[in-house]
Amino acid sequence: MQQINKSDNAELCKQLLASIALVYQPITLEELAALIEQLKDTANDPESIREIIAICGSFLTLQEETIYFIH
């Protein structure tokens, strides 16, 4: 959480974690971009979304195009 809180994208990371927790299943990068308003501009740039997911690396992992909770 300290890494996330120190990030310039802290609020976005928290919103990402909350959204993934609510859907209760692994989701794709495309689905995540549709769920989070701030990511809609980056829907065509999956690398940007991957970078944000990397900040949440203690909680999330990305396999191919699908995001999973680690625990």
Side-chain angles (χ1 to χ4, degrees):
M1 282 305 291
Q2 290 177 345
Q3 178 182 348
I4 291 171
N5 285 330
K6 291 178 185 177
S7 166
D8 293 338
N9 295 314
E11 289 306 313
L12 180 57
C13 289
K14 291 175 187 177
Q15 187 177 9
L16 183 146
L17 289 169
S19 297
I20 293 175
L22 286 174
V23 297
Y24 195 67
Q25 65 184 20
I27 62 173
T28 65
L29 293 174
E30 185 177 325
E31 292 168 332
L32 181 65
L35 280 176
I36 299 177
E37 184 70 32
Q38 291 175 305
L39 294 179
K40 289 186 181 184
D41 294 338
T42 62
N44 293 328
D45 184 15
E47 191 58 38
S48 295
I49 300 173
R50 285 185 185 97
E51 289 174 13
I52 295 168
I53 292 168
I55 296 169
C56 303
S58 301
F59 301 101
L60 302 175
T61 187
L62 183 64
Q63 295 177 356
E64 297 181 20
E65 296 292 311
T66 305
I67 307 161
Y68 299 89
F69 267 110
I70 291 177
H71 302 284

